Amino acid sequence: MRRTKRIVILGKFDIQSEGFNFIDSVRIVLLLVSPGLLASSNFWDDRFNQIMQQSDLGKIKVVPIFSKPVDDIKETPLHKLQALPRDGRPISKWGNADEALVNITKGIRQAADEIASNTTNLNQCYL
């Protein structure tokens, strides 16, 4: 897990190994989504449910970032979240990965700016 001020970046193994005492101090959780993550039984545990509950309450913004195509996302709680890159198109499907990363960076920056200015509910879409 990496922390940058108030942004926490979780990876597949971090969700399993890190304590979730940070959940009350962050506003954005970036979630790198791949088929392997969705297939992991360790991912779908109480800690994930805690993150989603905080998101449903508008306390944090969960931003799924798709690295590779996933075909069963509509059967998960992630389907209701605004994903990056734009339109939930995975990074691997962009002709130029740099363009996808720029799109992701802009989306994260826009979400962070909105949160910092307190002008939006955290559950609103921003792309």
Side-chain angles (χ1 to χ4, degrees), residues 31-47:
L31 188 62
L32 188 59
V33 180
S34 68
L37 178 73
L38 295 182
S40 170
S41 61
N42 293 334
F43 176 68
W44 305 104
D45 65 8
D46 290 337
R47 288 168 280 206

Side-chain angles (χ1 to χ4, degrees), residues 38-78:
L38 295 182
S40 170
S41 61
N42 293 334
F43 176 68
W44 305 104
D45 65 8
D46 290 337
R47 288 168 280 206
F48 173 77
N49 290 330
Q50 183 182 1
I51 288 173
M52 292 306 295
Q53 287 172 351
Q54 295 296 316
S55 175
D56 290 344
L57 293 171
K59 293 183 177 183
I60 63 172
K61 177 77 175 175
V62 178
V63 181
I65 300 172
F66 290 94
S67 61
K68 295 181 180 181
V70 293
D71 58 55
D72 55 357
I73 197 68
K74 291 189 179 190
E75 298 175 18
T76 73
L78 299 176

Side-chain angles (χ1 to χ4, degrees), residues 90-125:
I91 296 167
S92 65
K93 291 292 185 180
W94 284 64
N96 182 332
D98 290 339
E99 289 178 11
L101 296 175
V102 167
N103 181 267
I104 291 167
T105 302
K106 286 180 180 179
I108 293 168
R109 185 176 295 123
Q110 185 175 354
D113 289 346
E114 289 174 357
I115 290 167
S117 67
N118 291 322
T119 60
T120 185
N121 181 305
L122 293 183
N123 289 321
Q124 281 187 322
C125 295

